[in-house]
Amino acid sequence: MNSGRRQGRTLIRLSSGDQPVCNWESHETGLRRIPANGPLQPVFAPLPQLRQDLVRSEEKVICHDCREKISQATENQCRVCGKFVPDGIETCGGCLLRPPPFIRHLSYAAYEETLRAVIILYKYGEIEPLKHFLAQLYMEIIKKRLPGAFDALVPVPADRGRRRGFQPVHAMGRVLASRLGIEFRPGLLVKKKSTPPQVGLSQAQRKANLDGAFALAARKRPAGLHILLIDDVTTTGTTIWKCAAVLKKGGARVTALTLAQSRL
C-alpha cells in the first residue's frame, strides 16, 4: 500500500489484496440562506483537488463498510415517475393527471446519508474514479427493475460553463454505455443556455428556469430509438422531464435513471 499527502490529507493507494480505505469525510459545514432572504441551504467546505497521478481509474476510493451502507430503495415508488409514494399506490396523482414524456423514471435511492456524501465527493470534489462505482449503481437498477434493451444512452447535458471541465454525468454515462454495450450519444441533446442553479427553487421556478434550455443538436434525430436518459440527482423531476420531452418530440422513446432523488 502506498500513500501520498496533499493539502493536509492522506490519500491511500490500494495494492492488490488491500482492504479499501475511505480517505474522505463529510464536508457539510452548516446552513445559510441563499439569497439572504431565501431558504436555508447546506454549505460545503471546499474539497481538495487530488493529484491524478495518485488516483488511478481502477482504484476503489470508498471502503467496504461505506459501500454496504448504500443500497437500492425499498420504499414504494410511482411506477411511472419514480417518486416515493405511500404503499398501495401504483401511479401517483401527478402522472395520472399529466403523463410524463418518458416511459419510466427510477432512482437508485433517496439523496441522503452515505449515497449523498459519495455523490457530493464525486461531483464537487471531482474524484473521477468514483464514476465506475456509481455506474455500477445504475447497472443494479437496470438488472433488477428495467428488463429490455436500449439503443443509446444520453446524459443530461452540462451547463455551458462546465463543458470544458469535469462533467460528472457525462463521465458516468460513458462507463455505463460501455457496460451495457450500447451507443453513447452525449451530443444528441444540448443545453442551449446557461441557467442558474436549481437548488432552493420551487417547482414552478425550476420549470421557468429550464424553459427552452434543452434542444436536439443540429441535424440529430433520435426517431425510433429507445433512449436511456441519465442524470445524477433529481428533486422535482423538472430537468428529466424537459430533456425527455425534447427527445420524445424528436421521435424517441425515453426511459430515465437517476442515482438519487430528494425527498419533497
Side-chain angles (χ1 to χ4, degrees), residues 125-143:
E126 300 188 1
I127 309 301
E128 189 170 357
L130 278 170
K131 65 187 179 184
H132 302 283
F133 167 72
L134 294 172
Q136 185 57 35
L137 300 188
Y138 289 113
M139 286 293 294
E140 289 180 22
I141 309 175
I142 293 168
K143 289 178 180 178

Side-chain angles (χ1 to χ4, degrees), residues 63-185:
C63 69
H64 175 76
D65 288 344
C66 286
R67 173 63 186 92
E68 290 298 302
K69 294 176 183 177
I70 298 174
S71 59
Q72 287 191 53
T74 57
E75 299 165 79
N76 191 40
Q77 293 178 263
C78 171
R79 66 179 180 179
V80 181
C81 72
K83 291 179 181 176
F84 295 125
V85 292
D87 290 341
I89 295 178
E90 290 189 355
T91 305
C92 72
C95 290
L96 290 172
L97 291 171
R98 188 186 178 208
F102 45 77
I103 300 167
R104 191 177 188 186
H105 163 256
L106 283 171
S107 294
Y108 184 85
Y111 186 53
E112 57 192 21
E113 300 177 348
T114 306
L115 178 58
R116 176 175 178 270
V118 171
I119 292 172
I120 289 170
L121 180 71
Y122 174 62
K123 289 180 65 174
Y124 303 110
E126 300 188 1
I127 309 301
E128 189 170 357
L130 278 170
K131 65 187 179 184
H132 302 283
F133 167 72
L134 294 172
Q136 185 57 35
L137 300 188
Y138 289 113
M139 286 293 294
E140 289 180 22
I141 309 175
I142 293 168
K143 289 178 180 178
K144 185 175 180 179
R145 306 179 66 181
L146 290 176
F150 304 102
D151 298 305
L153 186 149
V154 175
V156 167
D159 201 83
R160 290 179 178 180
R162 294 196 67 97
R163 287 180 191 170
R164 294 186 179 181
F166 176 55
Q167 298 182 38
V169 180
H170 182 285
M172 290 186 295
R174 184 178 294 279
V175 174
L176 180 58
S178 177
R179 293 185 183 181
L180 290 171
I182 61 176
E183 188 178 1
F184 181 53
R185 298 190 64 179

